Amino acid sequence: MLKKGCPDEYPITLVVNGYEVAVFQLTNQDLEDWAYGYLFSEGFIGSPEEVEEVEVNEDTGTIQVSLNNDFEPEQMFSKKKHYTAGCGRGVTFFSMTDVKNFRKVTSHEKFALSYLLKKRSEFAQNTPLYIETGGMHGACIIHEDGSISVREDIGRHNAVDKIIGHALRKRLQPDRLVLLTTGRVSYEMLSKTAKFGFAVIGSRTAATKQAIQLARFLNIEVVGYLRGKMATVYTSSGRVYDDVSNSTVAAKPIERGEVLTIFN
């Protein structure tokens, strides 16, 4: 058996306008992307232009962020914190009720399951930290032209924040993008998806019942177990169609309320 290296995790303190938000367990890579993504996902900023400066100090394990918006720390930090499930535990200030008030997605883009499966395979081949250690999560954006961007982290939600931060800094528009993740799609992952405006999120593993309920409410397509030639489509917004299953007609639409699992 080939020996793999061990994944690294670092305690990183996020400080916004002089106020300490929390200490996060992160992989020491793409930290500026993570700061932008986390601040946007949690409502500290509404656009990258509201970030004046990000200073990453690896020696002290801190990220100092200066915002030029009307950020009110007392109001933000008085909100109840919700700790995320799973590895590399994080914190979110949005409850499920808050997420239901996010703007619903209106994208009319459509994607074939075969295309998502192909891109999921390409994503897996472009995760060097996972290949090296066997213990990392990744997040990937599929661009309109079919190219991909990938970020990795010890925590699944951190990886998603990193790729969202990358998209923000590149001024990418979410309408025609697809988000892929290696981790479980829980409600806080769905929250990040909705906040940025992705219309489709796919994962190599499952989605939780709460995430599926929120996705249906916000008109987001959720596809799980993207592996080889199998997938589970949990939602029915019409953005993903089945062109894989031998037992159904090619390009079969997914009916409302149907959970479609494809094995081929």
Side-chain angles (χ1 to χ4, degrees):
M1 178 182 294
L2 294 176
K3 292 184 178 180
K4 291 180 177 287
C6 295
D8 289 328
E9 54 181 327
Y10 296 86
I12 304 291
T13 302
L14 176 63
V15 181
V16 179
N17 286 2
Y19 291 85
E20 183 177 314
V21 177
V23 179
F24 300 83
Q25 294 299 119
L26 289 157
T27 299
N28 194 12
Q29 182 173 293
D30 301 309
L31 293 179
E32 193 164 346
D33 281 344
W34 174 81
Y36 272 84
Y38 180 80
L39 293 172
F40 178 82
S41 296
E42 294 302 323
F44 286 76
I45 62 173
S47 70
E49 287 74 24
E50 295 174 23
V51 178
E52 193 169 276
E53 184 181 18
V54 176
E55 181 181 347
V56 178
N57 190 323
E58 295 184 9
D59 293 332
T60 61
T62 59
I63 301 176
Q64 299 272 354
V65 181
S66 298
L67 303 182
N68 57 26
N69 60 12
D70 56 357
F71 166 67
E72 297 181 5
E74 292 82 5
Q75 181 178 351
M76 175 62 73
F77 300 141
S78 65
K79 295 174 66 176
K80 186 175 181 179
K81 294 181 180 179
H82 301 264
Y83 291 95
T84 58
C87 56
R89 175 173 288 188
V91 60
T92 178
F93 294 94
F94 288 123
S95 67
M96 286 188 64
T97 301
D98 294 328
V99 179
K100 282 187 175 181
N101 291 321
F102 287 0
R103 184 170 55 188
K104 294 185 178 182
V105 174
T106 58
S107 171
H108 298 294
E109 292 296 306
K110 296 183 184 297
F111 301 92
L113 270 178
S114 61
Y115 177 75
L116 297 182
L117 288 164
K118 177 182 177 181
K119 290 301 172 182
R120 167 69 189 100
S121 177
E122 185 179 342
F123 170 26
Q125 295 168 23
N126 285 274
T127 51
L129 293 181
Y130 176 80
I131 292 170
E132 178 186 349
T133 67
M136 301 292 289
H137 276 293
C140 167
I141 285 176
I142 305 174
H143 298 274
E144 186 178 357
D145 64 359
S147 62
I148 64 173
S149 297
V150 177
R151 293 292 182 272
E152 293 182 271
D153 195 272
I154 191 73
R156 58 193 171 88
H157 41 275
N158 295 336
V160 170
D161 281 331
K162 285 180 178 181
I163 202 65
I164 289 175
H166 166 73
L168 285 170
R169 296 175 70 192
K170 292 294 185 180
R171 274 56 174 185
L172 302 180
Q173 297 302 312
D175 297 10
R176 298 182 179 182
L177 305 178
V178 174
L179 173 64
L180 299 180
T181 174
T182 58
R184 181 179 62 255
V185 180
S186 50
Y187 100 83
E188 81 276 3
M189 294 284 274
L190 200 284
S191 167
K192 296 177 187 297
T193 303
K195 192 71 169 59
F196 187 69
F198 291 109
V200 178
I201 178 172
S203 172
R204 70 177 298 278
T205 184
T208 67
K209 182 182 293 185
Q210 289 77 10
I212 295 166
Q213 290 171 345
L214 285 171
R216 287 173 174 165
F217 185 81
L218 294 171
N219 199 30
I220 296 170
E221 200 84 281
V222 180
V223 186
Y225 293 108
L226 280 165
R227 305 176 185 180
K229 291 187 177 181
M230 67 173 287
T232 296
V233 183
Y234 293 102
T235 48
S236 53
S237 69
R239 296 194 186 91
V240 175
Y241 58 89
D242 172 19
D243 66 337
V244 175
S245 175
N246 291 328
S247 62
T248 57
V249 178
K252 172 187 179 296
I254 298 153
E255 302 296 332
R256 174 169 289 278
E258 178 183 11
V259 176
L260 178 65
T261 301
I262 302 300
F263 298 93
N264 190 29

